Amino acid sequence: MSRIDEGAVARVVLGLDRWFDAMRATWPTPGYGGPVVHWWNHCLVYQGAGLDWRYEGIVDGYLTLWRRTGDRRWLAKATRAGNDLVEGQLANGCFRNSMFELNPGDGGTPHEAAADVALLLLAQATRTDNDTGPDRFLAAAQHNLRSFFIGRLWHEESGTLWDSPSVESFVPNKAATFVEAVLHLAAQLPDPDLVARYALPTGQHILALQVRRPGDILDGAIAQNRFGKRVVESYFPLYIARCVPALLGLWERTGDEQFRGGAVAAARFVARVRDADGGLPQVLYARGRWNRHPRWIAGSGDVVRALTLASRHAEELDPAPTVGWIVNGARPDGRVAAASGFGRVLPWVSRRDRVADEVGVVGWCDKAFRALAPMADPRLLVADVAVEPPAAIGVAGVLR
Amino acid sequence: MAAETRPLGTRAAGLPIELRAGLDLIVLRSADHGGRPRGDAVGLPRLVEEWRHYGWSGNGTGPLIALGATPDSLRAVVGESAPQWVVTLQAGPFARLLRPIRATSAELPEGLTFTAWRGLGYQRSWSVGLFGVGAVVWAIAERVLRRAGRPDLADRCRLGMLRSLKTSSIGRLLAVSHVRAYHRVAV
């Protein structure tokens, strides 16, 4: 692994911490708010809190900082985030406004599973801490998993997690987040059924959509989704990276080498298509087609996470270039820019979209935060970093 | 094919994209300084509930928001409450033509006519068309390219459609739906 500038990483992490604080909203329940830009849809009008996958990276990042420094202010922020989810949970188990770029709305995937991961990490980490009361975090995650994912999306006959109760559909990266949540829950509950009944078959379905053609550029890639039996042969490096931790988790739990092999193959695909500057193309297709833009910057934290985990099994995998890509995307107000190239997707038509590159999105920045927190120089994490007030840059431009 | 033309990850129960855009536009133009919608909403229950999800706090000061309200019900509520401003989301003339071939659609009624509004003492202030000829062309191009085995170009056409949802001023005449604002002029 190449050398990473731990000082620079620490400055980015501290900047993100300050920026996250500035992105707090008070309605409909307290939480992290802010706009969302995404490949197809943006969410620029809804200004309340979004209880979606942003919490996964925020909680894990803060817990990492707490473990590395012993400073309880990081634990307090992780706990505050957990409280956001508990207080924003609806009676049906869903989290309020969890649909990210499709907000406002509930029942977002993989967002609610990612929120469960956040709660379960918090419950696990604070098991011996009397001040935080981990039971309510565990209860909230369990309520969501059992009521929403297992109760409404799980299709018993086929042993598949559908993406919609009414459409036979399977989306590997979303299912992978569900697998992670189930593995975390199984580690905290005496329920032997959870892994065998839900996580294992889901992992098998993910692997069934993986390309295994040595020598092909797509070798290791995982198709984006399946409708019925029809596979949508789009391959998004970021979403494929999100499958890696779940597959490795299944290997650790079961010892089944097919999961480790699949995880390493997926990570090698991501590394293979990465650009020299550490960024990744948006999506690849069969027969050598690409759509390069936009290239995610803050969201590439999930790529760093995947390559870091997989590098323990394949030494040639190096997250450092993508760490540099993210560090270069940090801005004076502490955010990390969302992307590069929104204006280049469709010449002329998407030119006004170029301002979306600079929008600060909590649900992308959390991935950078989570990935960089373990790499930051811990001696610098005790300091405060001065950042500029958060910029509303880009949102007004995108709205015009 | 129909399912694939939905944005990835959009579930079957999601709103048609132009209705989401319409709600966004209404909230954008009528929100308070905190970004929360103001006014009272009437019309299709599903749309009213979606509008409230933007953070409506019960603040009734503001325009009357008519989301897919039928002409008769709109006439009744406007006649009774006489709001200073009314913002409507309603079907355009293109809606009926396209409904058979659209992957997702909603039964939005067409609104009151220009004459009917004048009779109630209101004048149109502004009007925005959503999902017009441009968006339809992009959507057709997407389907054609997907069938032709060019998903890369099809995805760009999908993006073209999403970035062309708001029509030009002339294109409004052929839009699938309209957002319109009326203000009271009669004493």
Side-chain angles (χ1 to χ4, degrees), chain B residues 42-135:
Chain B
V42 298
L44 291 172
R46 169 88 193 275
L47 293 181
V48 172
E49 188 188 338
E50 292 281 350
W51 176 80
R52 288 190 175 145
H53 280 159
Y54 283 84
W56 183 67
S57 59
N59 178 0
T61 63
L64 175 70
I65 311 290
L67 303 171
T70 63
D72 285 344
S73 64
L74 193 52
R75 202 189 310 268
V77 72
V78 170
E80 185 181 319
S81 59
Q84 197 64 31
W85 283 91
V86 182
V87 181
T88 69
L89 175 62
Q90 61 205 50
F94 223 17
R96 264 181 271 127
L97 271 172
L98 287 184
R99 195 165 294 142
I101 64 169
R102 292 206 62 203
T104 55
S105 63
E107 295 283 336
L108 266 194
E110 292 186 30
L112 291 170
T113 63
F114 180 81
T115 309
W117 280 109
R118 288 301 294 262
L120 288 169
Y122 287 80
Q123 185 172 298
R124 187 191 301 172
S125 179
W126 53 263
S127 176
V128 172
L130 296 168
F131 209 104
V133 172

Side-chain angles (χ1 to χ4, degrees), chain A residues 6-318:
Chain A
E6 295 182 353
V9 168
R11 284 188 291 276
V12 173
V13 168
L14 290 174
L16 281 170
D17 164 57
R18 293 291 295 271
W19 182 75
F20 284 148
D21 280 347
M23 299 305 289
R24 297 279 303 170
T26 57
W27 59 271
T29 53
Y32 292 96
V36 178
V37 294
H38 211 314
W39 191 36
W40 278 343
N41 295 301
H42 301 327
C43 174
L44 301 173
V45 175
Y46 170 69
Q47 295 193 33
L51 304 185
D52 52 40
W53 71 354
R54 68 193 76 187
Y55 280 83
E56 185 185 46
I58 284 174
V59 166
D60 201 13
Y62 280 129
L63 288 177
T64 298
L65 297 182
W66 173 50
R67 279 192 289 266
R68 298 189 73 205
T69 64
D71 189 337
R72 287 187 71 86
R73 67 175 162 146
W74 304 127
L75 176 63
K77 293 193 175 186
T79 305
R80 180 179 64 178
N83 289 336
D84 290 347
L85 294 172
V86 172
E87 289 166 27
Q89 188 168 38
L90 300 167
N92 64 5
C94 288
F95 298 107
R96 205 184 298 265
N97 297 323
S98 62
M99 292 192 75
F100 196 50
E101 83 277 17
L102 298 176
N103 263 342
D106 317 314
T109 58
H111 303 290
E112 303 231 352
D116 294 330
V117 169
L119 288 165
L120 292 165
L121 287 172
L122 196 48
Q124 180 73 48
T126 59
R127 186 63 57 204
T128 55
D129 187 287
N130 292 327
D131 288 342
T132 54
D135 290 343
R136 69 181 186 283
F137 302 133
L138 176 62
Q142 205 179 169
H143 184 27
N144 177 264
L145 280 169
R146 294 203 186 275
S147 303
F148 179 55
F149 284 92
I150 295 172
R152 290 171 58 193
L153 297 184
W154 184 259
H155 188 252
E156 194 65 45
E157 284 171 17
S158 59
T160 318
L161 186 78
W162 286 12
D163 194 48
S164 162
S166 56
V167 177
E168 187 187 346
S169 51
F170 179 74
V171 186
N173 81 86
K174 299 185 179 188
T177 309
F178 168 73
V179 167
E180 286 197 78
V182 169
L183 290 175
H184 283 300
L185 184 64
Q188 299 183 51
L189 284 184
D191 186 342
D193 251 3
L194 279 172
V195 174
R197 194 168 168 195
Y198 301 112
L200 272 176
T202 304
Q204 302 280 8
H205 286 303
I206 293 172
L207 291 181
L209 289 178
Q210 187 169 42
V211 175
R212 298 312 294 263
R213 292 194 295 264
D216 190 316
I217 190 172
L218 292 177
D219 183 40
I222 299 170
Q224 171 61 12
N225 57 337
R226 172 170 56 77
F227 289 103
K229 290 186 170 29
R230 188 168 56 83
V231 176
V232 176
E233 293 183 74
S234 304
Y235 305 93
F236 291 79
L238 174 64
Y239 297 144
I240 291 165
R242 282 188 65 87
C243 296
V244 170
L247 293 173
L248 286 174
L250 283 169
W251 169 73
E252 285 170 10
R253 178 78 185 208
T254 66
D256 190 335
E257 285 293 332
Q258 66 171 328
F259 293 118
R260 178 163 67 162
V264 170
R268 283 182 169 143
F269 162 76
V270 172
R272 186 183 312 126
V273 301
R274 181 171 54 182
D275 294 325
D277 59 7
L280 286 107
Q282 176 67 218
V283 55
L284 288 81
Y285 307 87
R287 290 189 281 278
R289 317 267 189 213
W290 303 58
N291 269 323
R292 183 170 295 278
H293 300 291
R295 297 190 300 155
W296 299 119
I297 301 179
S300 294
D302 276 348
V303 172
V304 170
R305 181 172 174 242
L307 293 179
T308 303
L309 290 172
S311 68
R312 298 170 195 168
H313 308 274
E315 282 180 3
E316 81 279 10
L317 294 169
D318 186 2

Side-chain angles (χ1 to χ4, degrees), chain A residues 352-376:
Chain A
R352 284 180 296 177
D353 232 9
R354 65 188 182 279
V355 292
D357 286 348
E358 286 296 324
V359 174
V361 180
V362 176
W364 292 126
C365 285
D366 77 292
K367 287 135 185 70
F369 187 64
R370 179 190 207 180
L372 299 185
M375 301 177 178

